[in-house]
Amino acid sequence: MHPNNPSLKTLSIIHLALCSGVFIFGFIMFSKIKSTEIILDDSTDVFKYIIPSAAIIAIFLSNFLFKNQLNSIPENAELKEKLVKYQSASIVKYVVLEGAALFSIVIYNLTSNFLYLLIASGMLLYLISQRPTSSKIISDLELKGNEKQDFEKQ
């Protein structure tokens, strides 16, 4: 694949921007709070249940929405249409993951419980692992033959 593939380049820039936003926001909040205390015994903290649940739900929901959108692409659709829908599905996936990470950082800011920043860091690592690559696009869209060659030529 040519390194200047416009579909991959656009999606990579969006992905990088979302990851950077989570990292920068988390870094700013950590610089402000500077708490590394993990508080597990606070019986009044409902967020110790909400945040991990939201993170797990976000992972499954993002994958479910992504696969649903990919499955709605007709098999006879042109490559350009498939790539546009792939980009849309990927952005939805990234935003769901980013939202859960940002929510966790906000709760860290409110409670000073480092556990929530750790969960946000885990979400960020998972989001980074979802980085778009040409091989992922080819695999996810099940591109074969001429479509695969056309995509690689871009």
Side-chain angles (χ1 to χ4, degrees), residues 64-107:
F64 173 77
L65 294 172
F66 178 74
K67 288 176 184 172
N68 246 11
Q69 286 185 309
L70 288 189
N71 289 337
S72 73
I73 301 172
E75 282 189 36
N76 59 351
E78 297 212 10
L79 178 61
K80 186 174 183 175
E81 181 185 351
K82 287 181 179 181
L83 291 173
V84 167
K85 292 194 182 238
Y86 183 86
Q87 187 175 38
S88 174
S90 296
I91 291 169
V92 168
K93 180 181 194 178
Y94 303 153
V95 167
V96 169
L97 296 170
E98 179 197 34
L102 292 175
F103 179 57
S104 187
I105 294 168
V106 167
I107 300 306

Side-chain angles (χ1 to χ4, degrees), residues 39-40 42-59 96 99-108 110-111 113 115-117 119-120 123:
I39 306 163
L40 296 175
D42 183 359
S43 61
T44 62
D45 184 11
V46 296
F47 292 115
K48 69 181 175 187
Y49 303 109
I50 294 173
I51 297 300
S53 299
I56 292 168
I57 289 168
I59 290 170
V96 169
L102 292 175
F103 179 57
S104 187
I105 294 168
V106 167
I107 300 306
Y108 166 70
L110 294 174
T111 64
N113 189 343
L115 174 66
Y116 305 132
L117 191 59
I119 292 171
M123 293 298 297

Side-chain angles (χ1 to χ4, degrees), residues 129-153:
S129 78
Q130 300 303 302
R131 182 179 64 89
T133 63
S134 59
S135 59
K136 278 185 187 176
I137 293 172
I138 290 168
S139 173
D140 290 340
L141 290 176
E142 298 175 2
L143 300 179
K144 294 178 179 80
N146 290 339
E147 279 186 331
K148 182 179 177 184
Q149 289 175 346
D150 290 345
F151 176 72
E152 290 172 338
K153 286 180 192 174

Side-chain angles (χ1 to χ4, degrees), residues 1-59:
M1 187 211 63
H2 194 270
N4 291 324
N5 183 307
S7 301
L8 181 59
K9 194 173 191 177
T10 302
L11 197 52
S12 293
I13 290 169
I14 292 168
H15 179 263
L16 179 62
L18 294 173
C19 290
S20 299
V22 171
F23 177 80
I24 291 168
F25 185 55
F27 182 77
I28 290 169
M29 288 301 112
F30 179 72
S31 298
K32 178 183 158 200
I33 308 283
K34 293 183 181 166
S35 171
T36 57
E37 183 180 5
I38 296 176
I39 306 163
L40 296 175
D41 59 353
D42 183 359
S43 61
T44 62
D45 184 11
V46 296
F47 292 115
K48 69 181 175 187
Y49 303 109
I50 294 173
I51 297 300
S53 299
I56 292 168
I57 289 168
I59 290 170

